[in-house]
Amino acid sequence: MRKRKAKLIHKFPMVIQLFKEVPEGKIDQTLIHFNIDDGSKYTGVALVQEGETKNKPLFKGTIEHRTDVKEKMDVRRGYRQYKRSHKKYRPARFSNRSSSKRKGRIAPSIKQKKEATLRVVNQLKKWIRVDSIHLENVLIDIRKLEKGSQPYRFEYQQSNRLDENLRKATLMRDTFTCQDCGKRDGRLEAHHIIPRRVKGSDSIHNLITLCPSCHEQVTGEEMTHVERFLRKIDGKVIYFQDAMHVMQGKTYLQEELQKLAPVTLTSGGDTANRRIDWCIEKSHSNDAIVLSQLKVSPEQCQLKDWLIKPMRRRSKKKVEDVQGFHHRDFVRYTKRNGETYEGYITALYPQKKQCNLTTTEGKVLKRYGVNRMKVLWRFTHIYFFENKRKREVNPGFNQCEI
């Protein structure tokens, strides 16, 4: 850049554009796969380059979705109803919200999450070529929950391997709680109530969640606990609230992604099986890396993990700037003891030259002076932070089985 051979396009993440022209015959022909691990609160994204000899992850990140839309709409609804109830001169009207009753409508709380994902895809597509898109369609493949499903490649060699679809569904049904001692922390295992050595089925109706200590106690004495365990799971229903929430609006997301590149669908259970096979740590962004079925090593996944935060398009700012600092600027604040915070400005107070900050860890700092701040990057609708937050993982979902 100092030699005028490239220019800075974006600082976080660092993106530069080379001025050198590449002959048509020397253009890189390797495929770039954009992988999306769609979720209710977080969505993992990754760019993986498919090479002739090995595959290479280029980028990974986690989109943090807004969860306050429904609450804000409820407040707005209350204001609207209060206002209308005081207009006594106007006759009452019913069913006049035609826009909310039209066919094919997606709830705003769900649609804004899909649009946030599309905004990130379009932004990254401006910086790098995307040849195909891989989207995680469902958390669990229901067809593989019952006996008779097609076995995975490793099941021909490892007869004691439990399929990840079944295991996840069992833990979700039992609310991630050991059904013997009530333990919720640490690793949880799916136990066959009727052992497979006596022809017990690989079915969710024959599985129960146990912690490792309880599982060890019943090993070898399974038949003495059959009736007790079957009574515990009798009549239980599997609740897939998050999975159902993710599935709403999925058709809209698929149709919009199809306009950008060919889309391939997969399931969350298949993703988890590959991640465990390749011994890769559980995270939203790592799940996105393994979506495209391109074999990668755990070392290749140790690249910087970005926390991506698409912001509202319309800002409610009342103050334009304070000493050159603008609303939503990404800044670094240095305290007198040398401690630093990085975050974005959420409010400005010109009278006392102060502001409110939200740090990359999610901490809110109020009334901090702008004299000790430095602008790192001007806001461009999407924040890319280095992910320093503690990841949220369901108990028992982060093990590596060999």
Side-chain angles (χ1 to χ4, degrees):
M1 289 168 57
R2 292 192 182 100
K3 294 181 180 179
R4 310 293 183 185
K5 294 183 178 181
K7 66 177 180 179
L8 179 66
I9 302 297
H10 204 272
K11 189 173 181 180
F12 300 100
M14 177 71 77
V15 180
I16 63 172
Q17 181 180 11
L18 300 177
F19 296 145
K20 180 181 177 181
E21 293 186 6
V22 180
E24 186 175 351
K26 294 185 178 181
I27 296 178
D28 187 9
Q29 299 296 330
T30 56
L31 298 178
I32 306 295
H33 301 272
F34 197 114
N35 304 336
I36 304 173
D37 178 20
D38 195 20
S40 177
K41 297 180 181 178
Y42 300 95
T43 293
V45 294
L47 287 166
V48 182
Q49 183 180 26
E50 181 181 0
E52 296 181 359
T53 56
K54 68 175 183 178
N55 307 310
K56 179 182 179 182
L58 304 176
F59 173 89
K60 71 175 184 178
T62 304
I63 304 173
E64 183 181 18
H65 292 296
R66 292 180 60 196
T67 57
D68 60 344
V69 174
K70 185 180 183 302
E71 180 183 352
K72 291 182 179 295
M73 292 189 67
D74 290 339
V75 172
R76 187 183 69 177
R77 185 184 302 111
Y79 288 149
R80 185 173 63 243
Q81 291 174 352
Y82 176 82
K83 179 180 178 181
R84 289 180 175 178
S85 66
H86 285 70
K87 287 186 174 182
K88 298 181 180 180
Y89 59 88
R90 192 186 73 180
R93 293 186 295 181
F94 301 94
S95 300
N96 62 335
R97 306 295 294 177
S98 59
S99 62
S100 61
K101 295 184 178 182
R102 66 181 184 272
K103 187 177 179 180
R105 173 184 177 271
I106 304 173
S109 58
I110 295 174
K111 188 174 182 180
Q112 60 89 17
K113 296 181 181 181
K114 308 305 178 185
E115 290 183 338
T117 302
L118 291 171
R119 288 171 61 189
V120 174
V121 174
N122 286 318
Q123 182 63 57
L124 293 175
K125 199 171 182 296
K126 293 178 182 178
W127 299 335
I128 190 170
R129 185 187 76 253
V130 174
D131 298 305
S132 68
I133 298 175
H134 296 260
L135 175 65
E136 187 174 283
N137 190 34
V138 291
L139 176 63
I140 295 172
D141 191 350
I142 304 300
R143 296 170 300 176
K144 295 178 182 176
L145 293 184
E146 297 295 333
K147 188 177 179 180
S149 63
Q150 178 69 26
Y152 291 97
R153 57 174 178 79
F154 50 73
E155 289 183 315
Y156 292 103
Q157 301 172 346
Q158 302 182 31
S159 60
N160 63 342
R161 174 65 179 271
L162 177 64
D163 180 76
E164 191 69 10
N165 281 293
L166 281 166
R167 182 174 168 277
K168 276 189 173 183
T170 304
L171 267 62
M172 291 176 69
R173 181 198 64 193
D174 297 337
T175 64
F176 304 102
T177 305
C178 176
Q179 298 300 294
D180 205 8
C181 67
K183 183 178 179 182
R184 293 182 59 89
D185 300 327
R187 173 184 170 131
L188 296 174
E189 300 172 349
H191 165 66
H192 284 78
I193 298 175
I194 301 176
R196 279 176 292 189
R197 65 174 181 270
V198 292
K199 306 224 174 163
S201 64
D202 274 331
S203 167
I204 193 170
H205 310 297
N206 190 42
L207 292 170
I208 190 171
T209 302
L210 296 178
C211 66
S213 58
C214 292
H215 200 177
E216 185 178 356
Q217 290 177 9
V218 301
T219 300
E221 302 177 358
E222 293 91 349
M223 299 307 296
T224 61
H225 301 275
V226 169
E227 292 186 6
R228 180 168 67 92
F229 285 158
L230 286 177
R231 284 197 301 268
K232 284 181 178 290
I233 67 170
D234 184 35
K236 285 195 175 181
V237 181
I238 308 175
Y239 294 99
F240 297 125
Q241 291 94 336
D242 285 343
M244 292 171 62
H245 191 267
V246 171
M247 287 306 297
Q248 297 181 40
K250 186 76 78 169
T251 302
Y252 168 76
L253 179 62
Q254 293 176 14
E255 291 175 351
E256 294 298 317
L257 290 174
Q258 196 72 45
K259 298 175 184 178
L260 304 176
V263 177
T264 303
L265 303 180
T266 183
S267 68
D270 295 338
T271 300
N273 282 321
R274 284 192 291 271
R275 176 175 48 77
I276 293 173
D277 283 345
W278 301 341
C279 211
I280 295 174
E281 184 184 6
K282 164 67 180 173
S283 71
H284 299 286
S285 54
N286 284 345
D287 277 355
I289 289 178
V290 303
L291 267 178
S292 56
Q293 304 183 29
L294 300 176
K295 180 68 181 293
V296 293
S297 65
E299 293 76 18
Q300 289 179 299
C301 298
Q302 300 300 319
L303 63 160
K304 183 179 290 187
D305 189 5
W306 293 96
L307 178 65
I308 307 170
K309 194 168 183 178
M311 301 296 288
R312 298 176 61 175
R313 295 180 185 274
R314 288 185 294 179
S315 173
K316 293 185 177 181
K317 63 182 180 180
K318 297 180 180 179
V319 180
E320 187 63 31
D321 71 284
V322 173
Q323 289 190 338
F325 293 94
H326 298 268
H327 190 248
R328 292 181 173 179
D329 278 352
F330 186 41
V331 299
R332 177 185 292 125
Y333 181 86
T334 305
K335 299 178 70 174
R336 296 180 189 274
N337 60 4
E339 187 178 355
T340 60
Y341 295 108
E342 290 185 359
Y344 57 94
I345 298 175
T346 55
L348 292 168
Y349 304 96
Q351 292 83 4
K352 295 187 177 181
K353 298 179 182 179
Q354 295 175 334
C355 71
N356 292 352
L357 297 174
T358 298
T359 66
T360 54
E361 291 83 7
K363 185 178 180 180
V364 178
L365 309 178
K366 294 186 177 181
R367 297 285 184 170
Y368 274 57
V370 299
N371 293 328
R372 307 187 68 85
M373 290 196 312
K374 178 183 178 181
V375 176
L376 298 179
W377 189 249
R378 296 291 184 187
F379 175 66
T380 53
H381 304 295
I382 300 177
Y383 286 118
F384 289 85
F385 301 134
E386 185 176 350
N387 197 350
K388 300 178 182 178
R389 301 187 186 182
K390 186 178 180 180
R391 56 189 176 87
E392 296 182 5
V393 178
N394 289 330
F397 275 23
N398 58 348
Q399 77 285 0
C400 176
E401 298 178 3
I402 305 297

